[in-house]
């Protein structure tokens, strides 16, 4: 953490939300955080870690905030504060031509499924894991990021991966010969429930930091930058201002 800098813990492994392009942070989240830092009169600095390393890093004050597709959950709100900036959701992705279709999380029963360790996707499947029939258990295989889970599908090690919907949209667009949608956008909390809101994570009780980040985000929304960034990355379905899920 440096004076005059907004240090952001992130995970650059999930295009178009956040990824490295020629070694530089790129995608929706880095661009949004850079715009927020500018409103705060600070320079952005990104610290790229595995997803599971972000929360311990924030607690240890290695960075000021975290921006890495973090779903806002009741459990996480016990330890951290969040500035909501994006409407998330999950989607299953299968290998092209598989013909697989999952309507809800429970349909994953009987299908080995790779997920990112500590992620919203993992939590969503664990909620219904005990409801699987004995002859169709749910087998979760954990990896450090969502690209690794999709690579498991591409090489035929598993039938489908459970990932954030923006990552699914991007990979299917870029590699249409390898992947196909295998589910609608799923909230991860059960049928008919609202989709998760993703947020910028702030240490609990750091009200000055929280207020500064929230005010800067509101300014980015008001001047049209927020909408421009979403349009650029084909992510308008994630507009936090929309109330329909």
């Amino acid at each position: 953490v440096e004076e005059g800098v907004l240090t952001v813990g992130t995970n650059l492994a999930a295009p178009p939300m956040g990824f490295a392009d020629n070694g530089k942070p790129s995608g929706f989240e880095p661009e949004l955080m850079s715009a927020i830092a500018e409103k705060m009169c600070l320079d952005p600095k990104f610290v790229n870690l595995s997803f599971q390393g972000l929360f311990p890093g924030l607690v240890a004050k290695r960075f000021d905030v975290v921006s890495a597709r973090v779903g806002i959950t009741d459990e996480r709100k016990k330890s951290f504060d969040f500035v909501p900036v994006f409407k998330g959701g999950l989607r299953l992705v299968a290998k092209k031509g598989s013909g697989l279709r999952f309507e809800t999380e429970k349909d994953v029963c009987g299908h080995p499924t790779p997920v990112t360790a500590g992620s919203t996707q993992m939590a969503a499947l664990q909620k219904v894991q005990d409801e699987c029939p004995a002859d169709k258990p749910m087998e979760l295989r954990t990896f450090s990021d969502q690209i690794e889970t999709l690579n498991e599908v591409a090489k035929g090690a598993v039938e489908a991966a459970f990932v954030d919907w923006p990552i699914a949209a991007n990979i299917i667009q870029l590699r249409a010969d390898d992947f196909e949608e295998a589910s609608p956008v799923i909230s991860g909390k059960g049928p008919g429930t609202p989709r998760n809101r993703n947020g910028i994570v702030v240490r609990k009780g750091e009200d000055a930091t929280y207020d500064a980040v929230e005010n800067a985000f509101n300014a980015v929304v008001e001047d049209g930058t927020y909408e421009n960034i979403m349009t650029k990355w084909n992510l308008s379905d994630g507009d936090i201002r929309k109330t329909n899920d």
Side-chain angles (χ1 to χ4, degrees):
V1 178
E2 305 171 35
E3 186 176 351
V5 173
L6 181 66
T7 306
V8 182
T10 192
N11 174 239
L12 300 176
M17 294 297 287
F19 61 101
D21 185 8
N22 292 321
K24 296 182 179 180
S26 186
F28 172 79
E29 288 180 317
E31 288 192 14
L32 178 63
M33 293 310 302
S34 294
I36 286 172
E38 183 178 353
K39 295 293 185 184
M40 298 171 70
C41 300
L42 299 173
D43 294 323
K45 177 181 178 181
F46 296 91
V47 179
N48 184 29
L49 294 175
S50 65
F51 187 88
Q52 54 263 49
L54 291 172
F55 293 106
L58 184 61
V59 170
K61 298 188 177 181
R62 290 188 59 189
F63 20 81
D64 299 302
V65 298
V66 164
S67 177
R69 311 167 307 282
V70 180
I72 303 171
T73 65
D74 290 339
E75 188 63 29
R76 287 172 177 166
K77 286 165 68 175
K78 294 176 183 177
S79 303
F80 303 95
D81 292 325
F82 293 85
V83 178
V85 297
F86 191 77
K87 201 160 74 169
L90 314 173
R91 173 166 268 149
L92 282 139
V93 177
K95 196 167 185 178
K96 183 74 172 183
S98 70
L100 285 173
R101 187 69 183 174
F102 305 86
E103 294 301 327
T104 71
E105 298 91 328
K106 292 182 183 179
D107 293 336
V108 173
C109 295
H111 300 273
T113 305
V115 293
T116 303
S119 66
T120 305
Q121 302 94 279
M122 184 175 181
L125 293 180
Q126 287 176 329
K127 283 182 181 178
V128 298
Q129 194 170 19
D130 292 341
E131 299 177 31
C132 292
D135 60 338
K136 291 184 178 181
M138 185 180 292
E139 180 187 338
L140 303 182
R141 301 179 183 180
T142 57
F143 294 86
S144 62
D145 62 62
Q146 296 186 66
I147 299 303
E148 286 187 3
T149 70
L150 289 164
N151 286 337
E152 290 294 292
V153 176
K155 67 185 184 183
V158 294
E159 295 176 309
F162 204 25
V163 297
D164 295 334
W165 75 261
I167 295 174
N170 184 68
I171 198 71
I172 291 166
Q173 184 179 35
L174 293 177
R175 297 172 60 181
D177 292 337
D178 295 325
F179 298 103
E180 63 186 13
E181 288 182 6
S183 78
V185 176
I186 295 171
S187 74
K189 295 175 285 183
T193 56
R195 288 153 54 187
N196 267 354
R197 272 53 179 166
N198 293 352
I200 301 166
V201 193
V202 181
R203 282 182 292 273
K204 196 75 173 176
E206 293 195 357
D207 296 341
T209 300
Y210 182 92
D211 291 344
V213 172
E214 183 182 48
N215 290 336
F217 172 67
N218 290 337
V220 169
V221 171
E222 289 170 10
D223 72 9
T225 302
Y226 176 66
E227 189 165 350
N228 290 340
I229 296 172
M230 282 190 298
T231 300
K232 175 181 177 180
W233 296 104
N234 195 30
L235 294 172
S236 295
D237 284 341
D239 193 331
I240 196 68
R241 298 168 295 179
K242 295 180 179 178
T243 57
N244 64 309
D245 287 283

